[in-house]
Amino acid sequence: MTAAVRVPEELSARVPVEQRGPGLDRDAVRMLVSRGVEVAHHTFRELPQLLRAGDLLVVNTSATLAAAVDGWVGHARVVVHFSTRGDDGRWAVELREPDGRGTTRARAGGPAGTEVCLPGGGGLVLEEPLSGRSGRLWWARVAGAGVPGLLREHGRPIRYAYTERDQPLSVYQTVFALPSADGAGSAEMPSAARPFTGRLVAELVSRGVQFAPVTLHTGVASAEAHEPPYPERFAVPEASARLINAAKAGGGRVVAVGTTAVRAVESAVGADGGVRARAGWTDLVVTPERGVRVVDGLLTGLHEPEASHLLMLEAVAGGEAIRRGYEAAVRDRYLWHEFGDVHLVLP
């Protein structure tokens, strides 16, 4: 599938849809709908007409952090991307170089012992790589003020070069985002839920569509290396597990909003196929070989052809359905990335 699609650079969404013209809201993005190998074109505002009473949407409540902070290694400027808070108080971080245009470019990771000076007099020390597969992310011990306070005072949302300008953190929060008591959150927005508005949620509820909140704090994207996802913290509450099991038992469709929601729910499946309340770390990678046990459908953004997320899409819908969908998305000039259009995969 992946070799067949090339995404032109001009199909990167450079600004949020609500900034592209007067009267537009977040739900004005386009929505490609795949049912098997059949493809249809809609706007996101039509989602209530495409779901039915008894269907259930699984949504990620993780809030987006202002995870990018300027720092210095000696006299060299760097940008620290805070990715994931560990249970031992350390943070997984990625050091990047400013590119002079307000965004960053990749930088060689490490070595162990590298000291980074941070605003406000704090600092961090790189201790060990997060994974033997790549030296991009490192566990770091942070000194000085706590990281949540540092991000609130000196952080900004992580931004990539395809975007046009800096945006306030509010642009990167979904309508489902809830602040975490310990300051944890997602380094990058769980962007599949970005098109939802309060009005659209109310309309869906009025039509009998239910919502099951879960949490998965996602780390930084791996756009340079196309690595498989790292372990991430997640929680599936008891009430949400009951809602999901009841929807399955009643013949409703369980539609995950975003790959993060798929990872969380599929990490909470018991041996009997039912979902259980669960919290902790998940290293689950959903592939076509592993398949999905709970999720029937998926609402997601459009992913780079080399991204590991496409394996998850193929696990839900099959490789041919995703190939046809992506060919249609390129042909009809859908927009990619976190401010772009969305793809609804239904059984």
Side-chain angles (χ1 to χ4, degrees), residues 203 233 236 277 330 335:
E203 183 179 350
R233 291 173 61 198
V236 176
V330 171
L335 296 181

Side-chain angles (χ1 to χ4, degrees):
M1 147 47 204
T2 55
V5 177
R6 187 187 70 81
V7 182
E9 187 177 339
E10 65 267 20
L11 296 187
S12 295
R14 295 173 57 77
V15 296
V17 63
E18 64 270 22
Q19 297 177 14
R20 294 180 209 150
L24 296 178
D25 204 343
R26 290 182 175 211
D27 57 9
V29 294
R30 300 167 72 196
M31 181 167 64
L32 185 79
V33 178
S34 293
R35 290 186 179 88
V37 296
E38 298 299 317
V39 175
H41 303 280
H42 294 269
T43 67
F44 190 74
R45 286 175 181 157
E46 296 174 270
L47 180 64
Q49 287 79 53
L50 297 169
L51 299 178
R52 54 184 184 240
D55 286 345
L56 182 139
L57 292 169
V58 181
V59 297
N60 186 1
T61 64
S62 180
T64 308
L65 301 174
V69 176
D70 292 322
W72 296 265
V73 175
H75 295 292
R77 280 192 61 208
V78 296
V79 177
V80 183
H81 286 178
F82 286 84
S83 181
T84 304
R85 185 182 69 81
D87 292 337
D88 59 0
R90 296 188 299 176
W91 279 76
V93 302
E94 179 187 14
L95 300 191
R96 295 177 66 88
E97 293 180 353
D99 62 4
R101 300 189 300 272
T103 52
T104 60
R105 54 177 170 258
R107 176 189 184 277
T114 296
E115 298 182 10
V116 182
C117 295
L118 297 171
L124 62 81
V125 178
L126 302 185
E127 294 191 344
E128 59 182 331
L130 186 66
S131 163
R133 297 171 301 193
S134 164
R136 191 173 63 91
L137 287 168
W138 283 66
W139 286 114
R141 187 75 60 182
V142 183
V147 172
L150 173 75
L151 301 186
R152 281 194 301 271
E153 188 168 349
H154 301 287
R156 61 186 179 276
I158 289 174
R159 178 188 153 209
Y160 289 109
Y162 52 77
T163 57
E164 189 172 284
R165 56 181 175 269
D166 285 345
Q167 299 282 352
L169 184 60
S170 59
V171 165
Y172 290 88
Q173 299 293 8
T174 74
V175 72
F176 305 110
L178 295 172
S180 174
D182 62 3
S186 288
E188 298 182 17
M189 172 176 52
S191 55
R194 189 183 190 280
F196 283 91
T197 61
R199 177 188 61 213
L200 193 72
V201 170
E203 183 179 350
L204 286 161
V205 170
S206 74
R207 288 171 174 262
V209 176
Q210 292 185 295
F211 289 82
V214 300
T215 302
L216 186 137
H217 298 311
T218 187
V220 297
S222 47
E224 291 85 15
H226 303 297
E227 301 140 325
Y230 291 94
E232 292 169 320
R233 291 173 61 198
F234 82 104
V236 176
E238 177 66 41
S240 293
R242 286 200 303 266
L243 282 169
I244 294 165
N245 293 331
K248 297 290 284 187
R253 297 173 295 183
V254 174
V255 179
V257 178
T259 57
T260 59
V262 176
R263 197 181 199 198
V265 168
E266 293 289 330
S267 297
V269 183
D272 61 354
V275 177
R276 302 288 182 268
R278 192 163 293 173
W281 291 83
T282 177
D283 59 1
L284 176 66
V285 180
V286 178
T287 64
E289 293 72 30
R290 189 267 185 191
V292 287
R293 300 177 64 188
V294 176
V295 171
D296 301 305
L298 174 61
L299 175 73
T300 183
L302 292 163
H303 301 282
E304 291 290 348
E306 301 87 355
S308 61
H309 294 304
L310 282 184
L311 295 175
M312 182 184 289
L313 269 67
E314 292 178 13
V316 175
E320 181 64 12
I322 300 306
R323 183 183 68 80
R324 290 204 185 188
Y326 271 60
E327 286 175 350
V330 171
R331 184 174 60 247
D332 287 270
R333 304 194 64 78
Y334 279 69
L335 296 181
W336 256 250
H337 301 302
E338 67 267 32
F339 297 144
D341 297 315
V342 291
H343 185 192
L344 176 63
V345 175
L346 290 175

